[in-house]
Amino acid sequence: MQVKKVITYVAVAFVVFYLFTRPAQAAAAVNGVFDGIVHGANQLAVFFSSVLT
């Protein structure tokens, strides 16, 4: 259980470090993730629209 806690702390520390050292790239990464989620949701909506019509 300790290893999982250490890995979590290291990951959080890396994210915080990345946000402070490269804020523009971090914002672009977050935008990319959200764009991917929106694109996936749109494709899912197209699929269900096609199935239900």
Side-chain angles (χ1 to χ4, degrees):
M1 196 62 155
Q2 290 289 355
V3 174
K4 185 176 179 182
K5 187 184 270 188
V6 170
I7 290 173
T8 302
Y9 287 144
V10 169
V12 169
F14 176 73
V15 168
V16 170
F17 173 76
Y18 191 66
L19 284 172
F20 282 113
T21 58
R22 303 195 187 279
Q25 290 85 355
V30 171
N31 282 336
V33 168
F34 283 132
D35 287 343
I37 291 170
V38 168
H39 180 70
N42 286 337
Q43 294 300 332
L44 195 58
V46 168
F47 170 75
F48 281 115
S49 295
S50 297
V51 167
L52 296 175
T53 57

